[in-house]
Amino acid sequence: MKKIIFSAVILTLISACAGVGGSAKQVDPIAVTNTANFAGQNTVLIGEFSVTFVTFDKTSATAKSSMFSSDTGYASSAIRAKLEGVPDDVMQSITDAAYQDFTAQLRANGYTIGDESALKGNATWQKMKYDDSPRKTTSSFKIVTGGSREDATFAPTGKKLLSKNIGGVIPYQAYDAANQLQLPVINANYVVHFVYFGSETEYRSNAYSDIKGAEYSAEVSVGQGIQVVPGSGINWMRGVTSTFSDPNGQILIQAPVVIPGAYGNSEDWLFIINGGHRHSLN
């Protein structure tokens, strides 16, 4: 399969966060914290670059009465979406092209990318653990719950993924190594979703205190739309944070960057997106 529209869309979105200039004024929806920590740092090291592709997700909505109501009824609705027809090699190619675009954007903004041997030769960085790429997260208890979100995280070809602490937190050794090297270490991750969800609930009382009951409705919807989701972006690591000092910074997307429009086939209530059988994806 050619990397066509799906690849081009992702690259457009990812490049939105590639510039890490030192300007204190940033235009929403990108949020920059600790802008002063970016000033005068023109040489950087890339600790990790990764792209996470969501492959399964679900949402639900529940309508219920107010806190002071005597009615205990409710209405609930749920929907699940699964991505199919986009093999790993396509996601890997997107990640590779995105990494090349990311580094090109850094250089275009006046940054020099230091040799990764500086990291590999640092004793503290050597304590970092790595995972093979891709790292796939799958949900449990599918029979009972239908499964929670699943995703696949890719590093550029030939590179590995940093092992994270619980909650996806970067280990402190990475920050300590950045302090020792006296060079900012960039950790960049972009999360790409393949659909967007919507929900609507309504509660309507039929009488005072709901003595005669109430009416409830809950609806959920899902639509095609490739997007880079909030929280994606760059961690700019310069040292370990303490009570009185935070030498680090972040450049993160605050609102989803969406390319609307259909890109695959929708099937059944499960809303399966099949990217392998639509002409525009070939």
Side-chain angles (χ1 to χ4, degrees):
M1 179 186 296
K2 297 178 182 178
K3 281 66 181 181
I4 41 51
I5 294 176
F6 195 77
S7 303
V9 168
I10 301 305
L11 291 180
T12 300
L13 298 178
I14 288 177
S15 63
C17 263
V20 289
S23 174
K25 293 184 179 180
Q26 297 293 326
V27 179
D28 288 336
I30 297 176
V32 181
T33 58
N34 293 339
T35 56
N37 294 338
F38 296 91
Q41 298 291 330
N42 296 323
T43 299
V44 299
L45 298 170
I46 299 179
E48 180 189 68
F49 180 93
S50 62
V51 180
T52 298
F53 298 89
V54 178
T55 55
F56 175 88
D57 205 357
K58 66 178 183 177
T59 191
S60 62
T62 301
K64 56 184 179 180
S65 59
S66 63
M67 182 184 301
F68 301 102
S69 172
S70 60
D71 191 277
T72 58
Y74 68 93
S76 182
S77 181
I79 197 169
R80 301 187 297 273
K82 183 178 181 180
L83 179 69
E84 289 190 345
V86 182
D88 285 358
D89 63 339
V90 171
M91 297 182 187
Q92 184 64 67
S93 295
I94 292 171
T95 302
D96 292 343
Y99 179 68
Q100 294 300 319
D101 183 75
F102 180 80
T103 54
Q105 290 285 340
L106 282 175
R107 295 186 178 98
N109 280 275
Y111 289 88
T112 299
I113 301 174
D115 195 305
E116 63 180 353
S117 62
L119 284 173
K120 293 180 178 180
N122 179 269
T124 300
W125 190 269
Q126 290 173 7
K127 298 177 182 178
M128 301 287 291
K129 296 180 179 180
Y130 289 86
D131 298 327
D132 291 332
S133 174
R135 179 174 58 216
K136 295 187 177 182
T137 303
T138 57
S139 57
S140 57
F141 305 109
K142 288 186 179 181
I143 296 177
V144 178
T145 66
S148 57
R149 199 177 87 169
E150 299 180 3
D151 56 48
T153 300
F154 288 75
T157 297
K159 299 182 181 295
K160 291 190 174 184
L161 300 164
L162 291 178
S163 295
K164 306 292 176 62
N165 295 331
I166 295 175
V169 178
I170 302 170
Y172 80 91
Q173 288 95 338
Y175 296 92
D176 193 14
N179 178 59
Q180 295 172 22
L181 292 165
Q182 291 297 297
L183 288 174
V185 178
I186 290 175
N187 185 82
N189 175 253
Y190 297 91
V191 180
V192 179
H193 212 310
F194 63 101
V195 294
Y196 59 88
F197 293 114
S199 64
E200 183 177 348
T201 61
E202 183 179 3
Y203 157 72
R204 183 165 60 250
S205 175
N206 290 327
Y208 178 71
S209 297
D210 297 329
I211 295 175
K212 296 183 179 180
E215 295 180 7
Y216 305 86
S217 66
E219 297 180 0
V220 290
S221 60
V222 61
Q224 296 188 39
I226 301 174
Q227 59 191 287
V228 176
V229 303
S232 300
I234 300 167
N235 282 289
W236 179 275
M237 301 179 289
R238 293 191 61 192
V240 178
T241 301
S242 67
T243 304
F244 304 102
S245 174
D246 184 1
N248 308 299
Q250 288 185 322
I251 305 173
L252 301 178
I253 295 174
Q254 293 190 107
V257 183
V258 183
I259 300 298
Y263 58 87
N265 300 322
S266 304
E267 299 179 5
D268 301 328
W269 287 103
L270 185 63
F271 198 78
I272 298 175
I273 302 301
N274 192 324
H277 302 288
R278 184 179 175 87
H279 178 69
S280 61
L281 288 180
N282 293 321

